[in-house]
Amino acid sequence: NKTENQILVIFGASGDLTARKLVPALFNLYQADQLPDNFVVLGASRSDMTDSAFRNKVVLESTYLKNKLENLEDDRVKDFASKFFYEDLGGSYDTDYGRLRKRVEDLKNKYQTSGNIIYYLSTPPTLYETIAQRLSDAGMGTQNNGWKRLIVEKPFGYSLDTAKQLNRGIQKFFKEDQIYRIDHYLGKETVQNLLITRFANSIFEPLWNRNYIHHVEITNAESVGVEKRGGYYDTSGALRDMFQNHLLQIVSLIVMEPPISDAPEDIRNEKVKALKSLRVMKTDQELFDHTIRAQYTKSVIDGKEVKGYREEEGVDKDSTTETYAAIKFFVDNWRWKDTPFYVRTAKRMPTKATEVVIHFKTPHHQVFQDTGLDSKDNKLVIRIQPDEGILIKFGVKVPGQGFKVERANLDFYYSSLAETHVMEAYERLLLDAMQGDATLYARADEVEAAWEFVDPILKYWEKGKDVRMYGYAAGVWGPENSNELIDGIGEWRNPGP
Ligand code: BG6
């Protein structure tokens, strides 16, 4: 695909995301010769900075580049940094963008980027509509002369209503096909590979339904706590921070029907249908039976004292925000009728790992007695991260008399494709946006469908009363009662061999 000359305007450029994610991604694209010949980054934010201060801050002093390159004086780094410019907005995003427009015009003429612009909004979401409106007021959203695209970061909404308002708000000024809602999980190779696993392999697809799959389990575990983001996290919680977006994106790829082609809209249409078929929980009883939330409490990990969630900086000491969420649900469609899905996400687990486990049913007639295998022994484990790969678990005959069976593994690791450069999520997503490919971005109806499912859970949890709210010592696999949810089926599978 061709990447046309363009300007990337980053709003909120002095924030963390630019230095931590965007600059490393752009640098890798630069090293791989994937950036267009003429490419300009214009940082914009409220603080006052010169171009060179901005270059120093985000490129030359970036921890990522420093760790990666021994000699930062390298000509390539200097050349890369020279593509960065900065414009301050005079203390507010809600202002006249005349000066910004002038700067963009100058850069456009100088670098012949012919009016192709990506606006990347890395600001608090409360500013998205304002920025879109101000851009539009300044005539910076029109596509008469070159395209304009708007990338927005998560969180996209705080609830179903706010997500809808946000969509309507931005859509007043930018058309849906100009809006790119980022979900960095879609940039992960292993997440994209769910499509290949399912739809390019005849050994999986015929089994991918209620007839052969007993239940589906997804675990997203992080070993870190809320780090320095206590203030943000306390207004969010695990359900909003991870489940509504990243995990439901994974769910949609597991649940969806085969798309008619790999065109962005064909794939996204099927994902929306999948999300709309998740059974929305309606009664308090259902919500009680199918959801668990918990908070980590203080503990000692590897001889070091670790704070409990309520002691973290920025967190209310009576906070009821969850750092662990586990949800059971069903999918109301032909393929998945009566197949339970179990999804959990949490901070301060023993390890960092995300995996999808497809548990197959036992063969419907057991020929061999006492094999020692049970219903959980045929599994497909998709390791999203780390140790990216796919594990198939099955039974084999133990050599010798009779039919004794032992468990065996077939294990594939992405790392065995050693010579392939695996793009980081942001690298892939930025490149796609630069080329106008929205396949891996969330569409408005997709985000709203995900919120439709999550909203009643949040509302129920907010009521507080009768909700299962547990504690778990930092560094263990969640609350002791976490298996209550999975009762009758077994236990959660913790990532491992
Ligand atoms: C972010 C969340 O979207 O995803 C963070 O806000 C979380 O709380 C992060 O740590 C996890 O991303 P990854 O790629 O490390 O799994």
Side-chain angles (χ1 to χ4, degrees):
N1 289 355
K2 177 141 172 40
T3 316
E4 295 168 288
N5 291 342
Q6 56 192 276
I7 301 182
L8 172 66
V9 181
I10 306 175
F11 287 87
S14 53
D16 210 36
L17 188 86
T18 312
R20 223 162 31 84
K21 296 284 187 198
L22 305 184
V23 168
L26 291 171
F27 186 73
N28 288 343
L29 292 172
Y30 172 76
Q31 288 291 69
D33 271 331
Q34 302 259 29
L35 292 183
D37 297 337
N38 293 351
F39 179 71
V40 171
V41 179
L42 177 63
S45 74
R46 287 172 304 190
S47 23
D48 183 15
M49 240 190 302
T50 59
D51 287 347
S52 75
F54 181 58
R55 277 174 203 169
N56 282 332
K57 183 175 158 71
V58 302
V59 183
L60 301 171
E61 282 164 21
S62 122
T63 328
Y64 174 82
L65 289 189
K66 273 192 174 156
N67 290 343
K68 195 172 159 108
L69 308 165
E70 278 178 12
N71 180 8
L72 268 176
E73 292 306 303
D74 187 291
D75 282 349
R76 300 255 320 148
V77 179
K78 275 202 208 141
D79 180 53
F80 174 68
S82 72
K83 298 175 186 304
F84 285 70
F85 301 86
Y86 183 82
E87 184 68 34
D88 86 77
L89 295 168
S92 168
Y93 288 97
D94 192 7
T95 182
D96 183 277
Y97 286 179
R99 221 175 57 203
L100 183 69
R101 188 187 57 213
K102 171 83 175 56
R103 190 75 196 278
V104 168
E105 280 290 314
D106 291 349
L107 290 167
K108 169 187 127 184
N109 294 335
K110 183 155 178 215
Y111 294 96
Q112 291 153 22
T113 54
S114 66
N116 298 329
I117 307 178
I118 296 185
Y119 301 111
Y120 197 117
L121 309 193
S122 165
T123 62
T126 43
L127 292 168
Y128 293 169
E129 186 178 343
T130 307
I131 296 173
Q133 172 162 19
R134 289 303 191 169
L135 284 170
S136 161
D137 290 349
M140 297 172 76
T142 55
Q143 306 207 82
N144 313 335
N145 165 26
W147 46 257
K148 308 289 179 291
R149 295 174 191 143
L150 188 78
I151 304 184
V152 293
E153 266 293 334
K154 61 159 278 219
F156 199 86
Y158 181 78
S159 60
L160 176 60
D161 282 348
T162 52
K164 281 185 175 166
Q165 276 164 23
L166 197 51
N167 274 331
R168 304 297 99 78
I170 303 174
Q171 283 165 337
K172 277 190 254 164
F173 309 105
F174 285 82
K175 292 207 288 286
E176 178 59 25
D177 65 5
Q178 292 178 275
I179 305 169
Y180 289 65
R181 295 172 194 77
I182 212 161
D183 185 307
H184 81 279
Y185 266 57
L186 289 175
K188 293 184 194 276
E189 276 298 328
T190 43
V191 173
Q192 294 158 35
N193 191 51
L194 290 168
L195 290 170
I196 297 298
T197 303
R198 290 192 52 193
F199 303 125
N201 287 294
S202 58
I203 56 170
F204 297 121
E205 181 49 26
L207 305 184
W208 210 269
N209 59 55
R210 67 183 306 275
N211 297 325
Y212 299 98
I213 294 179
H214 188 267
H215 67 283
V216 177
E217 186 182 341
I218 303 175
T219 289
N220 168 267
E222 288 187 275
S223 46
V224 294
V226 291
E227 300 178 286
K228 297 207 171 87
R229 301 157 73 223
Y232 149 75
Y233 197 88
D234 208 33
T235 62
S236 169
L239 210 62
R240 288 190 180 93
D241 187 50
M242 291 296 302
F243 183 86
Q244 184 277 334
N245 37 66
H246 308 322
L247 293 176
L248 284 184
Q249 283 292 338
I250 294 179
V251 167
S252 73
L253 295 169
I254 294 170
V255 166
M256 71 189 264
E257 293 300 309
I260 54 176
S261 83
D262 65 357
E265 294 321 315
D266 288 342
I267 293 180
R268 299 203 293 181
N269 287 342
E270 292 304 336
K271 286 172 65 195
V272 174
K273 261 170 62 190
L275 290 168
K276 284 189 171 165
S277 60
L278 305 189
R279 186 187 302 164
V280 176
M281 292 180 236
K282 292 200 176 76
T283 64
D284 281 4
Q285 189 61 48
E286 231 179 330
L287 286 154
F288 177 84
D289 290 342
H290 292 182
T291 69
I292 289 182
R293 62 177 174 167
Q295 269 177 354
Y296 61 83
T297 54
K298 76 166 185 275
S299 136
V300 177
I301 302 177
D302 297 333
K304 253 186 73 190
E305 275 204 22
V306 174
K307 281 186 186 163
Y309 175 65
R310 291 182 185 182
E311 286 108 51
E312 300 274 17
E313 207 185 309
V315 173
D316 189 308
K317 63 179 192 345
D318 298 318
S319 170
T320 53
T321 302
E322 77 288 355
T323 61
Y324 174 105
I327 312 291
K328 170 184 178 178
F329 61 90
F330 291 93
V331 180
D332 283 333
N333 66 13
W334 193 269
R335 183 184 292 268
W336 294 112
K337 170 102 178 120
D338 293 337
T339 313
F341 281 69
Y342 300 88
V343 181
R344 63 177 170 165
T345 174
K347 301 258 184 213
R348 282 284 185 228
M349 299 270 100
T351 185
K352 177 173 172 75
T354 302
E355 64 171 37
V356 174
V357 190
I358 309 291
H359 297 260
F360 291 95
K361 291 184 172 172
T362 31
H364 50 248
H365 175 65
Q366 286 288 8
V367 178
F368 308 104
Q369 305 304 314
D370 301 326
T371 58
L373 292 186
D374 61 29
S375 69
K376 300 184 295 289
D377 280 304
N378 275 191
K379 290 190 190 72
L380 173 69
V381 180
I382 301 172
R383 288 187 302 267
I384 303 289
Q385 64 187 28
D387 300 331
E388 289 78 357
I390 294 181
L391 166 66
I392 299 177
K393 294 177 95 65
F394 60 110
V396 290
K397 182 181 170 302
V398 178
Q401 236 184 345
F403 289 102
K404 211 169 152 14
V405 177
E406 207 165 85
R407 295 171 175 82
N409 288 346
L410 268 177
D411 208 348
F412 162 74
Y413 283 84
Y414 265 80
S415 53
S416 61
L417 308 173
E419 65 287 1
T420 324
H421 164 65
V422 180
M423 280 192 177
E424 283 292 325
Y426 272 91
E427 211 175 317
R428 172 66 200 271
L429 293 173
L430 273 174
L431 187 61
D432 281 4
M434 287 180 192
Q435 297 179 343
D437 181 347
T439 314
L440 301 177
Y441 285 86
R443 220 166 55 184
D445 50 354
E446 213 173 319
V447 172
E448 288 176 22
W451 273 117
E452 294 268 2
F453 179 74
V454 169
D455 220 40
I457 307 175
L458 287 168
K459 293 217 166 90
Y460 173 66
W461 284 1
E462 270 153 29
K463 285 201 257 175
K465 185 167 117 351
D466 300 335
V467 173
R468 286 192 275 194
M469 172 63 154
Y470 300 127
Y472 60 101
V476 306
W477 285 106
E480 275 174 21
N481 314 47
S482 59
N483 284 322
E484 284 172 5
L485 199 76
I486 212 157
D487 256 4
I489 289 226
E491 298 179 340
W492 292 100
R493 182 195 128 87
N494 295 333

